[in-house]
Amino acid sequence: MSNSIAEYLRQGISPQAFMDGMTKNQDAFLSWYNKFEWADEDDRSFFESLQFRDDLRCEILAADWCGDVVRNVPVVFKAMEAAGIPTEVLIMEQFPELMDQYLTMGGRSVPVVIITDTGGHVLGKWGPRPSDVQAHMIAFKQANPDREATDYQDNLKVVRQQMLETYGEGTDYHNRIIRELRELLSSF
């Protein structure tokens, strides 16, 4: 992880521009965005208390074709809106050199939420998915290190199904993302 991404600040697009410009999965993205509700008033209060901090920025590496972006970024947008933290989206394909600084287990997985100070010094990151969902992919990668193995794709289908089941049908996973973001933001 880079210690500074100063050269990327103000290079992205606004959350609204990202949503308006989506060419894939826009309806699903907006559905998750509109379904967001604060499950815990203490969490809402925490994020709203950050409005008094002007030292934080949020840069999100994303792509509209990615299912994890569609599910998770609406929650991040809502949290950053409540916190008043300026947020930009950097389209993964337009910033490959930055993406390569934030690989997940050697792969390009989005979203990557990068929290910086106003000068671009990286304070922390989150993503690409809630830790309980990511645990399935970690176990898969450890058990399947050879991408060329004959059963790799079949095993990948199984783990993707497990991940969907862990996300669940409803919006409960939103609360898990909020808790993880709160923990991250509380650390600085």
Side-chain angles (χ1 to χ4, degrees):
M1 180 167 60
S2 174
N3 288 332
S4 176
I5 62 165
E7 65 270 27
Y8 298 102
L9 296 181
R10 292 173 294 285
Q11 298 296 312
I13 58 175
S14 71
Q16 190 62 55
F18 178 74
M19 291 187 285
D20 291 345
M22 293 180 81
T23 60
K24 296 180 177 73
N25 301 312
Q26 186 181 48
D27 290 342
F29 188 100
L30 294 174
S31 176
W32 290 118
Y33 182 82
N34 291 325
K35 288 179 186 175
F36 179 84
E37 292 181 9
W38 292 98
D40 184 328
E41 200 55 42
D42 190 49
D43 285 336
R44 180 201 298 253
S45 294
F46 169 80
F47 282 92
E48 289 175 349
S49 77
L50 296 174
Q51 292 177 10
F52 301 103
R53 291 188 65 176
D54 62 359
D55 61 326
L56 300 175
R57 300 292 180 268
C58 177
E59 304 293 318
I60 305 171
L61 280 160
D64 64 0
W65 50 260
C66 176
D68 291 310
V69 167
V70 170
R71 282 184 171 267
N72 301 335
V73 171
V75 180
V76 177
F77 281 178
K78 289 291 190 172
M80 295 304 119
E81 286 170 18
I85 296 174
T87 302
E88 290 183 324
V89 178
L90 300 162
I91 305 300
M92 171 182 140
E93 292 84 358
Q94 295 174 6
F95 297 92
E97 62 289 336
L98 180 62
M99 184 71 243
D100 287 346
Q101 294 177 42
Y102 290 91
L103 299 178
T104 302
M105 296 181 298
R108 289 182 170 179
S109 297
V110 287
V112 178
V113 177
I114 306 165
I115 305 295
T116 73
D117 65 15
T118 56
H121 177 77
V122 176
L123 303 172
K125 77 170 201 68
W126 179 89
R129 52 189 70 96
S131 58
D132 60 337
V133 177
Q134 182 65 7
H136 295 293
M137 185 56 75
I138 291 169
F140 166 77
K141 293 276 188 164
Q142 290 170 343
N144 298 276
D146 181 7
R147 294 179 66 106
E148 303 304 318
T150 57
D151 61 348
Y152 185 88
Q153 290 301 322
D154 291 336
N155 294 341
L156 184 58
K157 286 179 188 173
V158 170
V159 78
R160 285 186 174 147
Q161 184 58 41
Q162 291 170 336
M163 290 166 60
L164 284 173
E165 289 169 7
T166 302
Y167 269 121
E169 294 293 321
T171 58
D172 287 347
Y173 77 93
H174 288 184
N175 305 324
R176 299 191 308 267
I177 294 172
I178 290 295
R179 281 193 302 271
E180 291 178 14
L181 288 172
R182 180 176 178 172
E183 183 178 322
L184 174 66
L185 289 164
S186 294
S187 71
F188 39 84

